[in-house]
Amino acid sequence: MRIHSLVFSLAVAASAGALCADLAGQAPASAPKAFMDSTGPGWRTLGPKDFAPVNGYPDTWAWDGDLLKSTGVPIGVMRTRDMFLNFELMVEWRHLKSAGNSGVFAWVPMKALDGLPPNELPKWGIEVQMLDHGYHEFHKQTSGGKPGDWFTTNGDIFPVGNSTLDVFEPKSPDGSRSFPRKPLSRGVGEWNYYYVRGINGEIRLWVNGEEVSGGRNANPRTGFLCLEAEGSPVEFRNIRVRELP
């Protein structure tokens, strides 16, 4: 029996070696990608009844069927009526002018929104930025040529005001922002697809299907989701959310 076992073991080893040799000259297969389409259990679409005004004008935000339009004026936010702890958010967005600026704020407490005047943004929250590529040239022209190395236009994540977040690498030069690992955002007039996941103070962003940036240990880690108006027309559609345990 020992002899038979030894022969069998040698045969298996030889077969494995031959297989490895056959595969050695082949390129490794690409890893499959996860696909998230917000159609599983628990997802719900957010519409006019799911949002509350904060500090905009009457015409700052307007629904056109399932399309949410913002003039971008005045600078400010619109919040969800519900507060969220752990969540998944999917939203499509596009800028209508070059250098457009907008974003989603996560975990914004009510104290940051009460009495917030027009042309101010909340002093709490985690921003998931939506910035058009033309902002690089805009910053160069309006800053007197100062370096624009402190931001990207592909999905930065960073804490706002009094909130804190340990941002993921790669980071902005001052360490305050999680820079995206890949440039995946589309330009002015084109729709972008964001998937944002926030769980127990950790937040991650997927841009057009791939994870790019995030952070952990957010404080606070519960609050409203807010859409941002920041001076330029922007549109949103297919805003869907799922609460997690």
Side-chain angles (χ1 to χ4, degrees), residues 21-191:
D22 289 341
L23 296 177
Q26 299 180 13
S30 59
K33 293 182 179 180
F35 178 70
M36 295 161 289
D37 63 0
S38 74
T39 61
W43 284 98
R44 59 188 174 97
T45 300
L46 301 184
K49 295 181 180 180
D50 298 295
F51 287 94
V54 176
N55 62 339
Y57 297 157
D59 64 346
T60 299
W61 301 93
W63 290 90
D64 183 3
D66 295 331
L67 186 68
L68 176 59
K69 301 179 179 181
S70 175
T71 63
V73 179
I75 292 172
V77 296
M78 179 174 66
R79 68 168 176 86
T80 55
R81 294 190 181 276
D82 294 334
M83 299 182 71
F84 295 89
L85 172 62
N86 296 333
F87 69 91
E88 294 173 285
L89 171 72
M90 289 189 173
V91 58
E92 293 180 75
W93 61 273
R94 68 176 177 180
H95 287 297
L96 303 183
K97 287 186 177 181
S98 180
N101 191 352
S102 184
V104 172
F105 285 74
W107 297 321
V108 181
M110 181 59 82
K111 63 183 177 182
L113 302 172
D114 277 342
L116 187 67
N119 287 311
E120 288 193 21
L121 294 172
K123 300 299 190 294
W124 300 80
I126 306 299
E127 181 166 354
V128 181
Q129 192 160 62
M130 301 168 172
L131 194 60
D132 179 65
H133 299 314
Y135 199 86
H136 288 289
E137 183 61 28
F138 172 79
H139 177 269
K140 182 179 179 180
Q141 294 177 359
T142 57
S143 68
K146 292 181 179 179
D149 60 350
W150 55 273
F151 69 91
T152 83
T153 56
N154 287 284
D156 297 1
I157 287 184
F158 52 93
V160 174
N162 300 305
S163 289
T164 58
L165 181 73
D166 297 334
V167 298
F168 293 161
E169 297 282 357
K171 300 179 182 180
S172 57
D174 66 357
S176 65
R177 293 178 173 227
S178 174
F179 274 2
R181 296 188 291 273
K182 294 179 68 174
L184 296 173
S185 291
R186 304 179 185 121
V188 61
E190 298 183 85
W191 285 103

Side-chain angles (χ1 to χ4, degrees), residues 161-237:
N162 300 305
S163 289
T164 58
L165 181 73
D166 297 334
V167 298
F168 293 161
E169 297 282 357
K171 300 179 182 180
S172 57
D174 66 357
S176 65
R177 293 178 173 227
S178 174
F179 274 2
R181 296 188 291 273
K182 294 179 68 174
L184 296 173
S185 291
R186 304 179 185 121
V188 61
E190 298 183 85
W191 285 103
N192 288 278
Y193 186 42
Y194 270 18
Y195 166 73
V196 184
R197 186 178 70 201
I199 301 177
N200 297 330
E202 179 180 279
I203 189 166
R204 294 173 180 263
L205 168 66
W206 281 251
V207 174
N208 294 320
E210 294 189 47
E211 185 180 355
V212 296
S213 54
R216 60 171 57 94
N217 298 324
N219 183 34
R221 57 187 62 184
T222 185
F224 298 100
L225 300 175
C226 297
L227 298 178
E228 179 186 26
E230 197 162 353
S232 184
V234 60
E235 293 180 343
F236 302 88
R237 69 183 184 187

